[in-house]
Amino acid sequence: TKSPTQVQVEEAVKPYGVEYKPLNFMDINEGVKFMENIVRNFKVKVTPTVVVANRKKLDAKKITGADIDKETVFEAIDEMESQ
């Protein structure tokens, strides 16, 4: 169903040992705004995309698609940290 009840969600996740806790709308809205800002500022056009940013230096590295792997992400982190 597109709109499961709280009970249906609780039952669906129970076998995985997950406790259902509803999120506050304001928290969700803040997250959505944050992600929209990331997408706009870093011109994210495809998924998957990883953005590693150095906010102090206002620089970032964007990694997309098949280029995303552990080594590439750690290299981007090292690059942003060394600035």
Side-chain angles (χ1 to χ4, degrees):
T1 178
K2 290 184 179 184
S3 300
T5 65
Q6 182 173 338
V7 172
Q8 288 172 316
V9 172
E10 289 172 351
E11 291 299 317
V13 299
K14 189 184 293 185
Y16 302 101
V18 175
E19 180 183 344
Y20 172 75
K21 292 182 183 177
L23 297 174
N24 177 304
F25 174 78
M26 293 306 292
D27 292 339
I28 294 169
N29 198 38
E30 284 296 314
V32 168
K33 286 180 182 177
F34 176 78
M35 293 310 297
E36 286 174 341
N37 194 35
I38 294 288
V39 168
R40 184 176 48 258
N41 288 333
F42 294 105
K43 298 174 179 62
V44 174
K45 303 285 185 199
V46 298
T47 59
T49 297
V50 173
V51 175
V52 179
N54 181 330
R55 293 189 296 175
K56 291 179 183 175
K57 298 291 184 177
L58 300 176
D59 194 14
K61 181 163 184 125
K62 183 169 61 172
I63 311 165
T64 59
D67 294 333
I68 299 171
D69 60 28
K70 184 177 179 180
E71 183 177 317
T72 306
V73 171
F74 281 126
E75 285 173 3
I77 292 170
D78 289 342
E79 184 180 330
M80 290 299 110
E81 284 181 337
S82 68
Q83 294 184 351

